[in-house]
């Protein structure tokens, strides 16, 4: 940008002389004998704009009298992202029918008890400030977010307060949500990409019947059970100020705090006083186990280029919570395993040098996919590998995965470790270029820990990971029972006991099976 190379007054002559010198050096008459790494003679040194300090990237946090935290991060630009994050998700539905968080996500930004008669009115109000809104729920967090012009901050916080604390939850809105949920459940089982369904299944296997193992999507049997009364009971327990964070990116902290005091301090929610005593504080219990779903996958993707029938397997082991120091080595390990689809094209930046490409997809051409995932929560974590292949080769595929898990405990090569660390840092920094991503990062970290680790701190932690850290966390992980999710034609699927035996062995091989008839 022009500000980066602004020259001081009085440099004009030097500037002119510099151009002359440059022309002299770059004329076609003869090659100048100057190395490309050395500055050209007579050209003034550029004066770059300098950042004062870490002041710019510091996250400011204020706790209001009612326990609500306000966190902000300044970022240059005329637009801001502001939202409310609530410590509430499907893991908190132990005492309720599963699916409440899914319903609340679909009901978000509908009519409110005060200003807005319908969702359209909310959208029109935001439109005046060039704004959009969205709500997302995960297993442990619900996030209401708005991106709009900075000038409309007052309206945005007022609207968020209304949407979160004063929803009307009309019968027709609940009925529309039931239809939307039914459609989503149908879509989930028919999608050619089974990853969301497998993730749901592996959580159910790893944490059977508790916390993060509870269904994230509303089960069919709960669709009719969820009504306004039940939603109010849930909201009364979980939507209280001490379980919330108002986060903002691209605004002044004092401005956001003033709006929070105005619209979120002495506000009585539509469901009455909060009862935080009914909050479920269960700690995740890792159980391990298997969830199988025999399913005909032959007609999943018909059309001009049908995908062949595949069986999908996901195997996972317990890792650690994102609050532990080992979280960073696990993130590096996940990056080192990498993987992807067999049709991915591209060079090193696409992860072509990760283990699941080099050891699995490049060697076994019949495998369609091998990808590593790391799910982490405040009290547990799960590192898993998803693979898919023809149903006749399921046994061989499972053995390849168990061997990869065992090999993780070997010593990581210096080059692959450095590559994984660099890739993780670059992914982190590139993602944090985006304002909505910074917003989510600020909100989630402050909600979970009350503070925020800055990107450069995380990069330092990643740089400090050693091969012995990877070996240590893998050895600990291999002591846990496996969690297995299997989807498709499972005729050739080895038993859970055999998978467990393979993961306890030295080389990861499945026990031999002897058949009389082949």
């Amino acid at each position: 940008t022009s500000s980066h190379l602004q020259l001081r007054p009085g440099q004009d002559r030097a500037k002119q002389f510099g151009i002359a010198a440059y022309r002299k050096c770059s004329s076609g008459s003869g090659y100048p004998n100057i190395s490309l790494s050395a500055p050209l003679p007579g050209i003034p040194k550029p004066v770059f704009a300098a950042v004062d300090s870490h002041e710019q990237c510091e996250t400011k946090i204020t706790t209001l009298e009612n326990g609500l935290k306000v966190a902000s991060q300044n970022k240059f630009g005329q637009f801001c992202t502001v939202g409310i994050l609530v410590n509430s998700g499907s893991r908190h539905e132990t005492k309720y029918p599963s699916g409440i968080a899914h319903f609340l996500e679909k009901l978000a930004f509908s009519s409110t008890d005060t200003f807005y008669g319908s969702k359209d009115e909310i959208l029109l109000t935001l439109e005046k400030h060039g704004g959009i809104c969205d709500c997302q729920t995960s297993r442990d967090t619900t996030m209401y977010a708005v991106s709009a012009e900075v000038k409309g901050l007052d309206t945005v916080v007022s609207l968020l307060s209304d949407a979160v604390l004063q929803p009307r939850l009309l019968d027709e809105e609940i009925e529309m949500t039931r239809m939307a949920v039914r459609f989503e459940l149908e879509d989930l089982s028919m999608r050619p990409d089974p990853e969301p369904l497998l993730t749901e299944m592996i959580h159910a296997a790893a944490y059977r019947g508790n916390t993060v193992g509870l269904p994230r999507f509303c089960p069919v049997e709960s669709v009719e059970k969820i009504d306004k009364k039940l939603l109010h009971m849930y909201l009364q327990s979980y939507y209280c100020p001490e379980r919330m964070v108002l986060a903002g990116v691209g605004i002044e902290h004092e401005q956001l705090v003033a709006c929070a005091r105005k619209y979120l301090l002495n506000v009585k929610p539509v469901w009455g006083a909060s009862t935080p005593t009914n909050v479920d504080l269960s700690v995740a219990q890792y159980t391990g186990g298997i969830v199988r779903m025999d399913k005909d996958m032959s007609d999943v993707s018909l059309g001009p280029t049908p995908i062949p029938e595949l069986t999908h397997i996901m195997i996972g082991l317990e890792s650690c919570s994102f609050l532990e120091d080992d979280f960073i080595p696990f993130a590096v390990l996940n990056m080192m395993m990498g993987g992807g689809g067999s049709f991915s094209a591209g060079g090193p930046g696409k992860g072509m040098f990760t283990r699941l490409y080099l050891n699995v997809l490049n060697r076994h051409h019949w495998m369609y996919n091998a990808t590593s995932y790391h799910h982490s929560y405040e009290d547990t974590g799960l590192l898993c590998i998803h693979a898919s292949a023809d149903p006749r080769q399921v046994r061989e595929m499972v053995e390849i995965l168990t061997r990869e898990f065992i090999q993780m405990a070997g010593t990581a090569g210096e080059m692959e470790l450095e590559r994984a660390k660099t890739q993780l840092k670059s992914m982190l920094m590139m993602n944090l270029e985006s304002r909505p991503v910074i917003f989510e990062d600020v909100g989630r970290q402050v909600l979970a820990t009350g503070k925020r680790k800055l990107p450069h701190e995380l990069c330092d932690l990643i740089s400090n990971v050693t091969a012995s850290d990877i070996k240590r966390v893998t050895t600990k992980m291999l002591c846990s029972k496996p969690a297995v999710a299997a989807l498709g034609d499972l005729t050739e699927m080895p038993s859970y006991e055999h998978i467990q035996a393979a993961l306890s062995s030295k080389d990861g091989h499945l026990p031999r099976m002897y058949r009389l008839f082949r």
Side-chain angles (χ1 to χ4, degrees):
T1 58
S2 58
S3 64
H4 279 158
L5 289 166
Q6 273 179 346
L7 298 160
R8 290 196 207 97
Q11 282 187 323
D12 293 349
R13 284 208 337 271
K15 189 175 164 187
Q16 285 162 2
F17 169 66
I19 289 168
Y22 170 73
R23 283 193 180 132
K24 187 178 146 204
C25 293
S26 63
S27 64
S29 56
Y31 291 105
N33 200 10
I34 301 167
S35 154
L36 287 175
S37 57
L40 290 170
I43 288 184
K45 266 181 115 176
V47 182
F48 295 102
V51 179
D52 297 342
S53 63
H54 283 307
E55 177 73 22
Q56 198 57 29
C57 59
E58 191 190 349
T59 304
K60 295 178 178 171
I61 303 163
T62 302
T63 306
L64 300 188
E65 292 81 344
N66 61 354
L68 176 94
K69 289 188 180 70
V70 182
S72 79
Q73 177 83 40
N74 212 340
K75 184 175 165 60
F76 183 75
Q78 69 181 83
F79 276 81
C80 63
T81 301
V82 182
I84 292 176
L85 288 94
V86 190
N87 188 357
S88 148
S90 57
R91 71 169 293 162
H92 299 110
E93 292 168 0
T94 316
K95 300 170 187 169
Y96 299 88
S98 283
I100 289 180
H102 192 185
F103 259 69
L104 289 171
E105 177 185 59
K106 296 273 168 280
L107 284 161
F109 296 105
S110 294
S111 66
T112 69
D113 239 24
T114 43
F115 297 113
Y116 304 99
S118 68
K119 191 171 195 133
D120 287 348
E121 284 185 32
I122 288 182
L123 297 176
L124 283 167
T125 305
L126 285 173
E127 219 168 84
K128 288 173 192 164
H129 299 286
I132 51 167
C133 61
D134 183 33
C135 176
Q136 289 177 14
T137 57
S138 61
R139 293 177 194 280
D140 53 3
T141 313
T142 301
M143 187 169 72
Y144 297 80
V146 172
S147 282
E149 279 189 315
V150 178
K151 288 181 286 190
L153 182 67
D154 196 81
T155 312
V156 166
V157 178
S158 156
L159 187 148
L160 279 165
S161 169
D162 257 30
V164 176
L165 301 174
Q166 315 291 340
R168 251 196 222 160
L169 306 178
L170 299 172
D171 290 346
E172 56 262 37
E173 289 171 346
I174 291 174
E175 200 45 58
M176 285 293 284
T177 300
R178 286 194 181 116
M179 282 167 65
V181 166
R182 280 198 195 98
F183 173 77
E184 207 167 300
L185 292 175
E186 212 172 289
D187 179 56
L188 194 67
S189 60
M190 290 175 68
R191 282 165 76 165
D193 170 29
E195 202 267 319
L197 188 56
L198 279 165
T199 303
E200 189 75 352
M201 288 163 69
I202 197 136
H203 277 82
Y207 305 94
R208 196 170 291 279
N210 75 87
T211 58
V212 291
L214 298 173
R216 191 169 99 67
F217 299 101
C218 179
V220 179
E221 61 274 14
S222 293
V223 175
E224 289 302 325
K225 289 180 193 167
I226 297 172
D227 56 15
K228 185 174 178 173
K229 187 183 168 196
L230 193 67
L231 290 168
H232 272 188
M233 274 172 65
Y234 180 87
L235 290 164
Q236 210 167 15
S237 300
Y238 289 94
Y239 277 45
C240 48
E242 53 271 32
R243 296 181 68 83
M244 292 182 186
V245 168
L246 173 69
V249 174
I251 41 181
E252 292 293 334
H253 187 68
E254 287 67 33
Q255 232 181 324
L256 189 63
V257 172
C259 290
R261 287 189 183 284
K262 190 170 166 186
Y263 298 112
L264 290 160
L265 190 53
N266 298 311
V267 182
K268 192 168 182 256
V270 70
W271 48 81
S274 298
T275 53
T277 45
N278 295 340
V279 168
D280 177 57
L281 298 172
S282 312
V283 173
Q285 301 298 314
Y286 182 86
T287 58
I290 186 166
V291 171
R292 298 165 56 106
M293 193 185 283
D294 282 280
K295 190 170 173 227
D296 178 12
M297 304 286 277
S298 56
D299 60 347
V300 163
S301 178
L302 299 171
T305 52
I307 294 176
E309 183 185 349
L310 299 173
T311 294
H312 301 273
I313 305 291
M314 202 181 252
I315 299 176
L317 292 166
E318 188 180 19
S319 59
C320 72
S321 116
F322 56 66
L323 299 173
E324 292 176 52
D325 293 341
D326 283 348
F327 172 65
I328 301 287
F330 269 118
V332 173
L333 173 64
N334 179 49
M335 213 68 197
M336 200 162 79
M337 297 311 293
S342 58
F343 296 120
S344 185
K350 290 287 293 290
M352 289 295 172
F353 288 98
T354 55
R355 280 194 189 181
L356 292 179
Y357 266 112
L358 294 176
N359 302 353
V360 178
L361 294 166
N362 293 357
R363 289 183 191 176
H364 309 282
H365 298 285
W366 44 269
M367 276 180 76
Y368 266 75
N369 174 32
T371 316
S372 173
Y373 296 96
H374 188 217
H375 304 279
S376 203
Y377 305 96
E378 62 183 4
D379 48 6
T380 186
L382 190 65
L383 184 92
C384 34
I385 299 177
H386 164 212
S388 47
D390 184 285
R392 289 164 297 188
Q393 289 170 300
V394 169
R395 187 179 169 81
E396 203 180 334
M397 171 169 73
V398 169
E399 188 165 79
I400 287 166
L401 293 192
T402 53
R403 287 211 309 265
E404 279 306 310
F405 270 111
I406 295 295
Q407 280 165 22
M408 285 182 200
T411 305
E414 190 183 334
M415 198 168 172
E416 68 169 346
L417 182 63
E418 280 309 310
R419 187 183 280 130
K421 282 154 65 169
T422 305
Q423 213 172 341
L424 182 60
K425 284 187 278 193
S426 66
M427 203 173 91
L428 173 78
M429 299 310 271
M430 281 191 262
N431 283 340
L432 288 170
E433 289 286 310
S434 148
R435 195 182 57 245
V437 175
I438 303 173
F439 158 76
E440 191 173 336
D441 182 50
V442 169
R444 282 181 182 276
Q445 285 204 49
V446 173
L447 192 65
T449 64
K451 54 184 189 293
R452 181 184 181 222
K453 269 200 179 101
L454 294 172
H456 64 87
E457 295 175 66
L458 290 168
C459 285
D460 290 345
L461 290 170
I462 294 167
S463 300
N464 293 336
V465 173
T466 62
S468 60
D469 289 330
I470 300 289
K471 196 169 183 169
R472 176 175 51 79
V473 298
T474 308
T475 308
K476 186 175 128 191
M477 176 178 76
L478 285 165
C479 296
S480 63
K481 279 175 69 177
V484 183
L487 174 69
D489 175 352
L490 306 177
T491 321
E492 295 293 313
M493 175 77 184
S495 69
Y496 178 76
E497 289 69 30
H498 278 189
I499 295 172
Q500 201 173 352
L503 286 167
S504 307
S505 68
K506 278 196 177 77
D507 53 10
H509 287 294
L510 288 164
R512 305 296 305 166
M513 276 179 71
Y514 299 99
R515 293 184 188 166
L516 284 170
F517 305 105
R518 287 217 169 262

